[in-house]
Amino acid sequence: MKKRMSRKILLAVVLVLALLIAAASFVITGWINREEEERSYELLSEETERLAGEIRTEIRGDTENLRMLAAVIAAGDTDLTSPEVRSLLGAYSTLGMISRVELLLPDDTVVTKSGQSDASGVLSFSEEAAKGVHVSRRETDPDNGGKYILRSYVPVEKDGETVAMLYGVIEPGTLPGEMAAEPYGGEAAVYIIEGQTGDFLVDTWHNEAGGNIWALGERKMAPGYNHEQLKAGMTEGKTGYVVFVSDTTGEYLYFYYEPVGINDWQLALSVPEKVVFENAERIRLGMNLYLVFETVCFVIGVLWIFRYMRSETKEKQAELDTVNSIYDMEKLLFDAHENEENVSMALERVARITTAKSVSLWISCESGLSRFFSWQSNGSTEPWNKETMTELRNFFRSGSDSFEKNGMTAIPVRETDGRVCGVLAAQNAADHFRLALLKSMGYSFSMFSHNLRQYALMKKQGEMDLLCGLYNRNRYEMDRERIQEIYTESIACIYLDVNGLHELNNSRGHEAGDLMLKSVAEKIAEYFDRTHAYRIGGDEFVVFVPDTEESVVQENGRRFVEELEQENISISMGIQWDHGDIFADKLTKSAEQKMYAAKREYYGQEAHDRRRRK
């Protein structure tokens, strides 16, 4: 007793120490992770601010260059359309981020290096001159296929009067390239957005010109962020960030934005979470590896304490697991005759109990019922085929109650009267003791076989017309919608009515009527197959003929009627053939109407008129 008590105390002390050290490790790890995540946010802010500074510097540099060019033009000839001015514009065709330089004159004429053109309705000298030095909003360039551009304006002044507006054309899509901007080593997408309109000046993620951030619709946000928060921050010129889910990759993207300081431009970086927290992830990985190492050390130290306890309880636990697995197997087999997918799960329980690599069940009854079920572990191959299982069944019918050879262990599955109706076999079971376990489960599979046979018999009786050997109306209602799903090429519906059945029953008795119905059913099977043939009423039959030419169906129908007429059996028949989009209800209704038309024609004849006979 003292020895057992001392072990419990030792175990308790070790566990308490392990928990204290683990708790301290988790606290320290969490603190380091939070600190590194804060640093990651700071780095994201720094990258955005650095890029915004580059944009401001480039724009200001271009503006200063334009000022100097404007001063040169103002100091020259008063004729701003002269060849000398155009040559000067051509000499400064590439200036920083500017792709070309042009002059806007007071009469809304634009002077370029190659000539001049009327820009009325496109550009307004009075409006642009009133703004002084400025950068325009996103505009379209009529001289270059309607591409999106920006115009950086400076006034050309003489004697204190603005005589022209010199502007440089900037293509927004080239901005990142001009700045050699590769935040986060090129892993981040760069956006420049007009805050009030939401128009993209730069969008390196979609890599296409134009677009509007609000026109993209609301993105799925991470918890704690929303679309209104983003829109308010962008339009009000604030600094902030949101986290949304990428439609392309499905991962979290950190979208950080801040004002550029030019117009209402907002610079935004969109960075995948794995990139933002790359350093944090490395540190977290290192700390986690440390925790794993620490845990492994404690586990190794504690394992020897548990070893003797486990050795004492292992056998009892194995027995308990076996009982539970058998119980689970029996629960699965209880209603497996209605849910046959349960059988594979039950066989998996058998494999778990016997440690077999694969387990198979073959049911083959004298009633004609035959089912094969199997479960096998990954990588194993199924060693049985129908011939092997047939040999085993015959072997058991000769009187043997087990089979063991070449890694295979098998037992017979018997009916309630003792007859062999199947085989339960396991491959590569652990040892000879597993045969006893397999035999203990044989009764459960025998009951399943019995239930399966009875269920199949009841189902057949519920779906078959016992007189004619065709399906009944129950099966017809179940199959009708399924047929139109399976057969999409073409399908014919044949609606039959046996003329004179009522009179025959009254004159010669129901036995004669039954014989006539059997004759009709046999001819249906001969000409149209039983696969989709149904007796849906006393003297009414419906047959579906799939994937057959209409002419073939019509010809078979004609021969069918003629051959029955030779047996003095009259049939009213309607055939409706359709292809493409097939609707079973419409198809059946059309065939039924044709049948009734034939029936009216039949009874319209004087020889068949019931009222005249009365």
Side-chain angles (χ1 to χ4, degrees):
M1 179 64 71
K2 286 184 178 180
K3 184 177 181 180
R4 184 173 299 177
M5 184 65 68
S6 63
R7 287 177 177 175
K8 290 183 178 180
I9 293 173
L10 178 60
L11 177 61
V13 170
V14 171
L15 289 177
V16 169
L17 289 174
L19 290 174
L20 288 175
I21 296 175
S25 299
F26 276 108
V27 169
I28 295 172
T29 300
W31 177 77
I32 294 175
N33 285 335
R34 285 192 297 273
E35 288 294 316
E36 187 57 31
E37 286 183 2
E38 287 297 325
R39 173 58 189 153
S40 299
Y41 285 123
E42 292 175 4
L43 178 61
L44 181 59
S45 173
E46 291 170 2
E47 284 285 334
T48 309
E49 186 175 351
R50 178 188 63 79
L51 188 54
E54 288 187 18
I55 294 173
R56 289 192 295 270
T57 300
E58 290 288 338
I59 294 293
R60 289 168 183 166
D62 288 345
T63 301
E64 289 302 316
N65 289 332
L66 287 173
R67 284 181 188 273
M68 289 189 291
L69 179 57
V72 173
I73 293 173
D77 196 342
T78 56
D79 183 7
L80 298 180
T81 63
S82 65
E84 291 77 10
V85 172
R86 293 201 305 270
S87 175
L88 192 59
L89 296 177
Y92 288 88
S93 59
T94 54
L95 197 65
M97 293 188 298
I98 294 173
S99 60
R100 68 180 189 272
V101 181
E102 298 173 348
L103 269 177
L104 176 61
L105 303 183
D107 61 352
D108 294 341
T109 297
V110 172
V111 179
T112 68
K113 65 179 181 179
S114 57
Q116 61 189 70
S117 61
D118 184 11
S120 299
V122 178
L123 297 176
S124 171
F125 174 82
S126 59
E127 292 180 4
E128 303 301 342
K131 298 176 184 176
V133 178
H134 69 281
V135 179
S136 71
R137 290 193 176 279
R138 190 182 74 182
E139 300 173 347
T140 56
D141 186 1
D143 297 330
N144 194 13
K147 290 178 63 176
Y148 288 112
I149 61 171
L150 302 172
R151 291 183 172 92
S152 179
Y153 288 92
V154 297
V156 178
E157 297 177 340
K158 279 192 175 185
D159 301 326
E161 179 184 356
T162 300
V163 297
M165 291 297 291
L166 179 68
Y167 65 83
V169 176
I170 302 172
E171 297 179 4
T174 65
L175 286 178
E178 295 291 344
M179 295 178 291
E182 288 192 354
Y184 285 93
E187 293 287 340
V190 180
Y191 310 87
I192 302 177
I193 306 166
E194 292 183 346
Q196 296 300 316
T197 65
D199 289 337
F200 283 114
L201 302 179
V202 173
D203 179 358
T204 64
W205 177 260
H206 297 95
N207 197 25
E208 58 185 20
N212 185 284
I213 189 172
W214 313 130
L216 295 176
E218 296 188 6
R219 298 294 187 92
K220 182 180 179 182
M221 297 284 184
Y225 304 92
N226 57 68
H227 189 73
E228 290 71 22
Q229 174 186 351
L230 171 62
K231 192 165 187 178
M234 295 286 288
T235 55
E236 295 173 10
K238 296 181 179 179
T239 298
Y241 73 93
V242 294
V243 183
F244 61 88
V245 181
S246 169
D247 292 335
T248 306
T249 62
E251 64 179 325
Y252 281 135
L253 296 179
Y254 281 71
F255 189 87
Y256 190 92
Y257 55 90
E258 71 171 46
V260 177
I262 300 171
N263 294 349
D264 58 351
W265 294 2
Q266 289 282 112
L267 174 67
L269 292 185
S270 175
V271 191
E273 183 179 44
K274 64 181 181 182
V275 177
V276 174
F277 298 117
E278 183 177 6
N279 291 332
E281 284 298 324
R282 283 200 294 265
I283 292 176
R284 183 179 293 114
L285 177 61
M287 295 303 298
N288 289 340
L289 289 175
Y290 166 73
L291 289 175
V292 170
F293 173 76
E294 185 180 69
T295 302
V296 170
C297 291
F298 279 110
V299 168
I300 293 174
V302 172
L303 279 179
W304 69 271
I305 299 176
F306 286 102
R307 185 175 181 182
Y308 80 96
M309 300 172 63
R310 292 185 60 187
S311 63
E312 292 179 353
T313 59
K314 184 176 180 180
E315 184 174 346
K316 292 183 179 180
Q317 185 62 47
E319 293 175 357
L320 181 60
D321 291 342
T322 299
V323 172
N324 289 334
S325 295
I326 293 175
Y327 177 67
D328 291 341
M329 177 204 69
E330 290 177 342
K331 285 197 301 182
L332 289 168
L333 291 177
F334 179 76
D335 60 350
H337 58 281
E338 296 182 3
N339 303 292
E340 293 189 10
E341 62 271 13
N342 286 6
V343 181
S344 294
M345 291 187 284
L347 294 177
E348 189 270 338
R349 300 300 191 281
V350 175
R352 183 189 302 173
I353 297 169
T354 61
T355 65
K357 299 298 182 182
S358 60
V359 181
S360 292
L361 172 69
W362 183 48
I363 303 295
S364 178
C365 301
E366 294 177 356
S367 62
L369 175 68
S370 180
R371 293 283 193 281
F372 183 82
F373 306 95
S374 179
W375 178 90
Q376 54 194 45
S377 62
N378 295 334
S380 65
T381 56
E382 179 58 69
W384 304 294
N385 52 37
K386 187 174 181 180
E387 290 74 17
T388 303
M389 300 302 269
T390 302
E391 291 177 2
L392 283 173
R393 183 193 61 185
N394 295 336
F395 174 75
F396 292 134
R397 285 180 175 176
S398 66
S400 299
D401 63 352
S402 65
F403 176 88
E404 290 184 279
K405 188 177 181 181
N406 297 329
M408 178 189 295
T409 304
I411 62 169
V413 176
R414 301 181 183 274
E415 259 293 1
T416 53
D417 59 3
R419 290 178 299 172
V420 175
C421 62
V423 176
L424 176 64
Q427 184 71 16
N428 295 330
D431 51 47
H432 180 74
F433 176 68
R434 301 304 177 186
L435 177 61
L437 289 175
L438 207 61
K439 286 184 176 181
S440 69
M441 294 177 280
Y443 177 75
S444 298
F445 285 95
S446 294
M447 290 305 301
F448 161 69
S449 173
H450 174 75
N451 293 340
L452 184 64
R453 185 171 62 84
Q454 294 298 319
Y455 180 72
L457 179 61
M458 290 169 54
K459 186 176 181 182
K460 181 178 180 181
Q461 291 174 346
E463 296 179 355
M464 296 295 296
D465 183 85
L466 300 182
L467 174 65
C468 297
L470 304 180
Y471 290 123
N472 60 18
R473 190 175 189 91
N474 292 336
R475 181 62 178 266
Y476 165 74
E477 295 294 344
M478 288 189 293
D479 284 357
R480 186 169 55 174
E481 295 301 324
R482 188 171 61 88
I483 285 173
Q484 75 184 47
E485 295 176 359
I486 297 174
Y487 300 104
T488 57
E489 293 294 329
S490 71
I491 191 167
C493 177
I494 303 171
Y495 209 112
L496 307 172
D497 184 276
V498 182
N499 298 323
L501 177 63
H502 178 72
E503 292 81 356
L504 183 62
N505 286 335
N506 290 340
S507 62
R508 296 174 56 189
H510 285 279
E511 184 176 351
D514 291 347
L515 290 174
M516 182 167 68
L517 292 174
K518 289 180 180 179
S519 296
V520 173
E522 290 173 359
K523 293 301 178 185
I524 288 174
E526 179 180 346
Y527 282 94
F528 305 112
D529 193 3
R530 298 177 183 268
T531 305
H532 299 301
Y534 313 86
R535 181 188 175 197
I536 64 171
D539 56 359
E540 292 186 352
F541 297 81
V542 172
V543 184
F544 291 107
V545 181
D547 300 333
T548 305
E549 293 293 332
E550 183 178 11
S551 58
V552 175
V553 177
Q554 294 286 359
E555 175 61 19
N556 288 343
R558 183 187 64 77
R559 293 169 55 201
F560 168 76
V561 172
E562 288 180 353
E563 190 161 335
L564 284 175
E565 285 178 348
Q566 293 176 6
E567 299 180 15
N568 295 321
I569 299 175
S570 176
I571 296 294
S572 293
M573 180 172 64
I575 298 177
Q576 181 64 38
W577 185 89
D578 204 351
H579 66 94
D581 294 332
I582 299 169
F583 299 95
D585 288 338
K586 182 179 178 182
L587 187 73
T588 307
K589 288 287 185 184
S590 298
E592 184 180 17
Q593 290 171 1
K594 290 182 179 180
M595 182 275 291
Y596 278 122
K599 197 171 186 69
R600 285 193 297 271
E601 181 181 351
Y602 173 82
Y603 283 109
Q605 301 173 19
E606 183 176 346
H608 305 141
D609 193 328
R610 296 173 177 173
R611 293 172 296 178
R612 290 180 179 273
R613 288 201 301 271
K614 289 182 179 179

